[in-house]
Coordinates of all heavy atoms in Angstrom, one line a residue:
Chain B
G272 N -41.5 -6.2 41.9 CA -42.2 -6.6 40.7 C -42.9 -5.4 40.1 O -43.2 -4.4 40.8
V273 N -43.3 -5.5 38.8 CA -44.1 -4.5 38.1 C -45.2 -5.1 37.4 O -45.0 -6.1 36.7 CB -43.2 -3.7 37.1 CG1 -44.1 -2.6 36.5 CG2 -42.0 -3.0 37.7
E274 N -46.4 -4.6 37.7 CA -47.6 -5.2 37.0 C -48.4 -4.0 36.4 O -48.5 -2.9 37.0 CB -48.5 -6.0 38.0 CG -47.8 -7.3 38.5 CD -48.7 -8.1 39.4 OE1 -49.3 -7.6 40.4 OE2 -48.9 -9.3 39.0
P275 N -49.0 -4.2 35.3 CA -49.9 -3.2 34.7 C -51.1 -3.1 35.7 O -51.6 -4.0 36.3 CB -50.4 -3.8 33.4 CG -49.4 -4.9 33.0 CD -48.9 -5.4 34.4
V276 N -51.6 -1.9 35.8 CA -52.8 -1.6 36.5 C -53.9 -2.6 36.0 O -54.1 -2.7 34.8 CB -53.3 -0.1 36.3 CG1 -54.7 0.1 36.9 CG2 -52.3 0.8 36.9
G277 N -54.6 -3.2 36.9 CA -55.7 -4.1 36.5 C -55.2 -5.5 36.1 O -56.0 -6.4 35.8
C278 N -53.9 -5.7 36.1 CA -53.3 -7.1 35.8 C -52.4 -7.5 37.0 O -51.3 -8.0 36.7 CB -52.5 -7.1 34.5 SG -53.4 -6.5 33.1
D279 N -52.9 -7.2 38.2 CA -52.0 -7.2 39.3 C -52.2 -8.5 40.2 O -52.4 -8.4 41.4 CB -52.2 -6.0 40.2 CG -53.7 -5.7 40.5 OD1 -54.5 -6.4 39.9 OD2 -54.0 -4.8 41.3
S280 N -52.1 -9.6 39.5 CA -52.3 -10.9 40.3 C -51.3 -11.1 41.4 O -51.6 -11.5 42.5 CB -52.3 -12.1 39.3 OG -52.3 -13.3 40.0
L281 N -50.0 -10.7 41.1 CA -49.0 -10.9 42.1 C -49.3 -10.0 43.3 O -49.2 -10.5 44.5 CB -47.6 -10.7 41.6 CG -46.5 -10.8 42.7 CD1 -46.5 -12.2 43.3 CD2 -45.1 -10.5 42.1
A282 N -49.6 -8.8 43.1 CA -49.9 -7.9 44.2 C -51.1 -8.4 45.0 O -51.0 -8.4 46.3 CB -50.2 -6.5 43.6
R283 N -52.1 -8.8 44.3 CA -53.3 -9.4 45.1 C -52.9 -10.7 45.8 O -53.4 -10.9 46.9 CB -54.4 -9.6 44.1 CG -55.0 -8.3 43.6 CD -56.0 -8.6 42.5 NE -56.4 -7.4 41.8 CZ -57.6 -7.0 41.5 NH1 -58.6 -7.7 42.0 NH2 -57.9 -5.9 40.9

Side-chain angles (χ1 to χ4, degrees):
Chain B
V273 180
E274 292 184 307
V276 170
C278 306
D279 53 351
S280 171
L281 177 58
R283 290 171 193 233

